[in-house]
Amino acid sequence: MKLLLTGFEPFLNLQENPTMPVVAALDRQHIGEYEVIGHILPVAFHDARVALSTIIEAVQPDLIVSLGVAVGRYQVTPERIAINVASSTKPDNTGHTPQDEPVIAGGAESYMSRLPIQQITAALNEAGYPARISDTAGTYVCNTVMYEGLRYAVEHDIAAGFIHIPANFELSIAHGKVPGWHQRDLNDAIRIALETIVEVKA
Protein backbone atom coordinates (compact mmCIF):
# COMPACT_ATOMS: atom_id res chain seq x y z
CA MET A 1 0.00 0.00 0.00
CA LYS A 2 1.30 3.46 -0.91
CA LEU A 3 0.68 6.76 0.86
CA LEU A 4 1.64 9.75 -1.29
CA LEU A 5 2.73 12.69 0.87
CA THR A 6 3.41 16.00 -0.87
CA GLY A 7 4.84 19.31 0.26
CA PHE A 8 5.87 22.53 -1.47
CA GLU A 9 9.03 24.40 -2.36
CA PRO A 10 9.59 27.90 -0.89
CA PHE A 11 7.45 30.67 -2.37
CA LEU A 12 6.91 34.43 -2.39
CA ASN A 13 9.44 35.95 0.02
CA LEU A 14 9.69 32.89 2.27
CA GLN A 15 13.22 31.59 2.67
CA GLU A 16 12.08 28.02 3.29
CA ASN A 17 8.99 25.88 3.40
CA PRO A 18 8.60 23.70 6.51
CA THR A 19 6.60 21.12 4.57
CA MET A 20 9.85 20.08 2.87
CA PRO A 21 11.58 18.69 5.99
CA VAL A 22 8.31 17.06 7.09
CA VAL A 23 8.13 15.18 3.80
CA ALA A 24 11.85 14.33 3.97
CA ALA A 25 11.48 12.97 7.52
CA LEU A 26 8.56 10.70 6.61
CA ASP A 27 9.59 9.64 3.10
CA ARG A 28 9.99 5.84 2.85
CA GLN A 29 8.75 5.36 6.41
CA HIS A 30 6.06 2.76 7.06
CA ILE A 31 2.82 3.64 8.81
CA GLY A 32 0.72 0.58 9.31
CA GLU A 33 0.53 -1.19 5.95
CA TYR A 34 1.42 1.98 4.03
CA GLU A 35 4.78 3.04 2.69
CA VAL A 36 5.08 6.84 2.64
CA ILE A 37 6.28 8.19 -0.70
CA GLY A 38 7.23 11.85 -0.49
CA HIS A 39 7.34 14.45 -3.26
CA ILE A 40 7.84 18.22 -3.32
CA LEU A 41 5.64 20.23 -5.68
CA PRO A 42 6.33 23.56 -7.39
CA VAL A 43 4.41 26.59 -6.15
CA ALA A 44 2.78 27.32 -9.49
CA PHE A 45 -0.89 26.93 -10.31
CA HIS A 46 -0.54 25.01 -13.57
CA ASP A 47 2.76 23.27 -12.86
CA ALA A 48 1.70 22.02 -9.42
CA ARG A 49 -1.47 20.43 -10.76
CA VAL A 50 0.36 18.80 -13.66
CA ALA A 51 3.19 17.63 -11.39
CA LEU A 52 0.76 16.09 -8.91
CA SER A 53 -1.15 14.36 -11.70
CA THR A 54 2.10 12.98 -13.12
CA ILE A 55 3.29 11.76 -9.73
CA ILE A 56 -0.05 10.10 -9.02
CA GLU A 57 0.08 8.33 -12.37
CA ALA A 58 3.58 7.04 -11.59
CA VAL A 59 2.98 6.08 -7.94
CA GLN A 60 -0.63 4.84 -8.15
CA PRO A 61 -1.20 5.72 -4.47
CA ASP A 62 -3.82 4.20 -2.21
CA LEU A 63 -3.95 7.36 -0.10
CA ILE A 64 -2.98 10.98 -0.80
CA VAL A 65 -2.11 13.61 1.83
CA SER A 66 -0.85 17.01 0.72
CA LEU A 67 0.76 19.57 3.02
CA GLY A 68 1.08 23.35 2.83
CA VAL A 69 2.30 26.05 5.20
CA ALA A 70 -0.14 28.66 6.45
CA VAL A 71 2.06 31.44 7.79
CA GLY A 72 0.24 33.13 10.66
CA ARG A 73 -1.73 30.11 11.84
CA TYR A 74 -0.59 28.55 15.09
CA GLN A 75 -2.54 25.31 14.72
CA VAL A 76 -2.32 22.33 12.40
CA THR A 77 -5.41 22.69 10.24
CA PRO A 78 -6.83 19.87 8.12
CA GLU A 79 -8.83 21.47 5.33
CA ARG A 80 -12.51 20.67 4.84
CA ILE A 81 -13.07 21.64 1.18
CA ALA A 82 -11.36 22.44 -2.10
CA ILE A 83 -13.08 24.71 -4.61
CA ASN A 84 -12.72 25.00 -8.38
CA VAL A 85 -11.24 28.49 -8.20
CA ALA A 86 -7.68 29.71 -8.73
CA SER A 87 -7.32 33.35 -7.78
CA SER A 88 -4.63 35.44 -6.15
CA THR A 89 -3.31 38.96 -5.79
CA LYS A 90 0.16 37.50 -5.21
CA PRO A 91 2.05 35.71 -7.98
CA ASP A 92 3.03 32.09 -7.92
CA ASN A 93 6.68 31.18 -8.53
CA THR A 94 6.22 31.63 -12.28
CA GLY A 95 4.74 35.12 -11.84
CA HIS A 96 1.19 34.03 -12.63
CA THR A 97 -1.66 35.78 -10.80
CA PRO A 98 -4.92 34.16 -11.88
CA GLN A 99 -8.14 36.04 -11.31
CA ASP A 100 -11.15 33.82 -10.62
CA GLU A 101 -10.02 31.14 -13.04
CA PRO A 102 -11.22 27.53 -12.73
CA VAL A 103 -8.71 24.97 -11.51
CA ILE A 104 -10.20 22.66 -14.14
CA ALA A 105 -12.61 24.09 -16.71
CA GLY A 106 -15.92 22.27 -16.44
CA GLY A 107 -14.83 20.47 -13.28
CA ALA A 108 -16.88 19.96 -10.15
CA GLU A 109 -17.52 23.13 -8.14
CA SER A 110 -15.92 21.63 -5.06
CA TYR A 111 -14.68 18.48 -3.37
CA MET A 112 -14.93 17.67 0.33
CA SER A 113 -11.93 16.19 2.10
CA ARG A 114 -11.91 12.41 2.19
CA LEU A 115 -9.71 12.35 5.31
CA PRO A 116 -11.06 11.79 8.84
CA ILE A 117 -10.51 15.44 9.76
CA GLN A 118 -12.42 15.29 13.06
CA GLN A 119 -10.33 12.35 14.26
CA ILE A 120 -7.10 14.00 13.09
CA THR A 121 -7.72 17.15 15.10
CA ALA A 122 -8.81 15.14 18.14
CA ALA A 123 -5.68 12.98 18.03
CA LEU A 124 -3.42 16.01 17.68
CA ASN A 125 -5.09 17.87 20.52
CA GLU A 126 -4.85 14.78 22.72
CA ALA A 127 -1.12 14.63 21.95
CA GLY A 128 -0.78 18.27 23.01
CA TYR A 129 -0.56 19.81 19.55
CA PRO A 130 -2.98 22.66 18.76
CA ALA A 131 -5.24 21.66 15.87
CA ARG A 132 -8.58 22.62 14.38
CA ILE A 133 -10.48 22.06 11.16
CA SER A 134 -10.17 24.84 8.59
CA ASP A 135 -13.11 25.65 6.34
CA THR A 136 -11.05 27.24 3.59
CA ALA A 137 -7.85 26.26 1.81
CA GLY A 138 -7.95 29.67 0.11
CA THR A 139 -7.64 30.06 -3.65
CA TYR A 140 -3.85 29.92 -3.96
CA VAL A 141 -1.82 26.88 -5.08
CA CYS A 142 -2.66 24.86 -1.94
CA ASN A 143 -6.30 24.80 -2.97
CA THR A 144 -5.36 23.81 -6.52
CA VAL A 145 -3.36 20.83 -5.27
CA MET A 146 -6.10 19.79 -2.86
CA TYR A 147 -8.65 19.99 -5.67
CA GLU A 148 -6.54 17.88 -8.04
CA GLY A 149 -5.82 15.26 -5.38
CA LEU A 150 -9.48 14.97 -4.48
CA ARG A 151 -10.56 14.83 -8.10
CA TYR A 152 -8.41 11.73 -8.52
CA ALA A 153 -9.50 10.32 -5.16
CA VAL A 154 -13.19 10.58 -6.01
CA GLU A 155 -12.65 8.94 -9.39
CA HIS A 156 -10.67 6.07 -7.85
CA ASP A 157 -12.48 5.83 -4.49
CA ILE A 158 -9.49 6.43 -2.26
CA ALA A 159 -8.89 8.79 0.67
CA ALA A 160 -7.21 12.14 0.07
CA GLY A 161 -7.04 15.60 1.54
CA PHE A 162 -4.92 18.55 2.57
CA ILE A 163 -3.37 19.69 5.86
CA HIS A 164 -1.91 23.13 6.54
CA ILE A 165 0.88 23.44 9.09
CA PRO A 166 2.22 26.53 10.89
CA ALA A 167 5.60 28.09 10.17
CA ASN A 168 8.64 26.54 11.82
CA PHE A 169 10.86 28.60 14.14
CA GLU A 170 13.30 29.54 11.38
CA LEU A 171 10.55 30.84 9.11
CA SER A 172 8.81 32.56 12.00
CA ILE A 173 11.96 34.44 12.98
CA ALA A 174 12.79 35.38 9.40
CA HIS A 175 9.24 36.53 8.69
CA GLY A 176 8.72 38.29 12.01
CA LYS A 177 5.71 38.39 14.34
CA VAL A 178 4.12 35.11 13.25
CA PRO A 179 3.69 31.94 15.32
CA GLY A 180 6.24 29.17 14.87
CA TRP A 181 6.72 25.56 15.88
CA HIS A 182 9.87 23.53 16.29
CA GLN A 183 10.38 21.50 13.11
CA ARG A 184 10.55 18.33 15.20
CA ASP A 185 7.03 18.98 16.46
CA LEU A 186 5.71 19.65 12.96
CA ASN A 187 7.19 16.34 11.82
CA ASP A 188 5.67 14.52 14.79
CA ALA A 189 2.25 16.14 14.34
CA ILE A 190 2.02 15.02 10.73
CA ARG A 191 3.14 11.52 11.69
CA ILE A 192 0.28 11.44 14.22
CA ALA A 193 -2.12 12.70 11.55
CA LEU A 194 -1.02 9.97 9.14
CA GLU A 195 -1.23 7.30 11.83
CA THR A 196 -4.76 8.46 12.61
CA ILE A 197 -5.80 8.36 8.96
CA VAL A 198 -4.43 4.84 8.55
CA GLU A 199 -6.02 3.67 11.80
CA VAL A 200 -9.45 5.04 10.84
CA LYS A 201 -9.21 3.47 7.39
CA ALA A 202 -8.24 0.04 8.82
Side-chain angles (χ1 to χ4, degrees), residues 10-93:
F11 63 104
L12 299 177
N13 62 342
L14 305 181
Q15 290 83 359
E16 59 180 284
N17 191 317
T19 64
M20 295 177 68
V22 174
V23 171
L26 294 172
D27 184 35
R28 303 301 170 180
Q29 299 295 308
H30 285 82
I31 297 178
E33 297 180 349
Y34 291 82
E35 179 186 12
V36 178
I37 299 174
H39 282 274
I40 301 301
L41 301 175
V43 179
F45 287 93
H46 175 266
D47 294 350
R49 190 177 69 78
V50 171
L52 180 59
S53 179
T54 301
I55 291 164
I56 287 172
E57 183 66 27
V59 173
Q60 295 289 300
D62 304 286
L63 174 60
I64 303 169
V65 179
S66 294
L67 307 176
V69 60
V71 177
R73 293 186 189 177
Y74 68 91
Q75 299 157 310
V76 173
T77 50
E79 297 295 343
R80 190 187 300 276
I81 188 171
I83 60 175
N84 193 14
V85 177
S87 190
S88 179
T89 58
K90 296 180 179 179
D92 65 15
N93 283 357

Side-chain angles (χ1 to χ4, degrees), residues 57-200:
E57 183 66 27
V59 173
Q60 295 289 300
D62 304 286
L63 174 60
I64 303 169
V65 179
S66 294
L67 307 176
V69 60
V71 177
R73 293 186 189 177
Y74 68 91
Q75 299 157 310
V76 173
T77 50
E79 297 295 343
R80 190 187 300 276
I81 188 171
I83 60 175
N84 193 14
V85 177
S87 190
S88 179
T89 58
K90 296 180 179 179
D92 65 15
N93 283 357
T94 68
H96 184 44
T97 54
Q99 299 298 306
D100 295 320
E101 298 176 6
V103 175
I104 297 179
E109 289 186 359
S110 63
Y111 290 111
M112 301 296 289
S113 176
R114 295 169 68 89
L115 301 180
I117 56 178
Q118 296 282 359
Q119 292 93 328
I120 292 169
T121 55
L124 288 170
N125 285 324
E126 184 176 351
Y129 293 124
R132 66 171 177 83
I133 294 169
S134 168
D135 292 327
T136 175
T139 54
Y140 196 57
V141 182
C142 290
N143 174 74
T144 292
V145 164
M146 183 180 180
Y147 185 94
E148 176 63 23
L150 284 168
R151 184 187 66 82
Y152 177 90
V154 167
E155 291 178 357
H156 294 80
D157 194 26
I158 65 170
F162 196 99
I163 301 173
H164 269 117
I165 64 174
N168 58 13
F169 285 152
E170 290 77 11
L171 185 54
S172 175
I173 292 168
H175 191 278
K177 297 183 179 180
V178 297
W181 286 30
H182 195 292
Q183 187 66 54
R184 176 192 61 233
D185 292 329
L186 292 172
N187 297 354
D188 188 48
I190 295 305
R191 172 177 283 279
I192 290 170
L194 298 185
E195 289 172 346
T196 302
I197 295 164
V198 169
E199 181 180 348
V200 171

